[in-house]
Amino acid sequence: MLLHIGVSYKTGPQAKKEAQEISDTYYISEDDDSSKNYFIETHLKDGKKNYFNQAGIFKPAENECIIISSNTKSRGINYNPWEDEFNEDVGYINYYGDNKRPDTDPATTRGNKYLLDQFKISHDPNSEVRATAVPIIFFETRKQGERIFHGYGVIKNVKLVTQYTGSGADKAYFSNYLFTFCVFSMKKRTGRL
């Protein structure tokens, strides 16, 4: 898997079909437009897994990775309480967790649990425990059928927040988590530090 920060990858039905038709030995050249296919680029060589149905906070398997996919395209609502912020150029991403309900403890939702567990692991005083933290990979959907890669990193901070959805008589408040991630630079380093 070789993804480039800031590049938009195709995720529509045609991209999914194209990915399903290729074999594990299919080679994609740098000039081939199919190299911008999310499903091809996230396909594992063993052929056992593709990240076809991933959305929100997704954990494909134990000790592999966590994929976060934020959907910032217009949702047809007046106020979007999940205004995630991607600033990988300066080294951080703010991402709101996956709780959406007033009557739910935000620590019990599946995605939030994954991230809270990783926060504990990556901040453990024991370096051997910290070494077991999995990479967290970031994508953003700005328009239907495309996903932008924003890099990978670890959780720097977790904050309990109050959000709301709806308006007027339909306004509902709920608790959620705001996760701040430290995003790693993927630039090659030359010379001495």
Side-chain angles (χ1 to χ4, degrees), residues 87-192:
N87 287 298
E88 70 277 1
D89 290 339
V90 292
Y92 77 92
I93 289 173
N94 285 326
Y95 179 82
Y96 289 94
D98 65 351
N99 188 41
K100 299 176 182 180
R101 300 181 61 181
D103 58 349
T104 301
D105 176 354
T108 63
T109 62
R110 183 174 52 191
N112 283 352
K113 281 198 292 190
Y114 294 156
L115 295 177
L116 292 169
D117 289 346
Q118 283 303 305
F119 180 72
K120 288 177 191 170
I121 291 169
S122 63
H123 287 81
D124 195 282
N126 184 334
S127 63
E128 291 178 9
V129 173
R130 288 194 310 272
T132 65
V134 300
I136 300 171
I137 304 168
F138 308 100
F139 289 94
E140 176 188 16
T141 299
R142 288 188 192 156
K143 70 179 195 175
Q144 194 70 29
E146 291 185 9
R147 205 170 269 164
I148 299 167
F149 177 57
H150 285 287
Y152 70 100
V154 295
I155 302 170
K156 180 180 178 184
N157 191 33
V158 178
K159 184 176 175 182
L160 187 62
V161 296
T162 300
Q163 296 177 274
Y164 73 89
T165 186
S167 61
D170 294 328
K171 186 183 276 190
Y173 290 90
F174 60 95
S175 295
N176 200 6
Y177 288 103
L178 173 60
F179 297 93
T180 300
F181 299 92
C182 176
V183 181
F184 300 128
S185 172
M186 295 175 66
K187 293 180 181 176
K188 289 183 180 178
R189 294 188 177 191
T190 58
R192 296 175 140 177

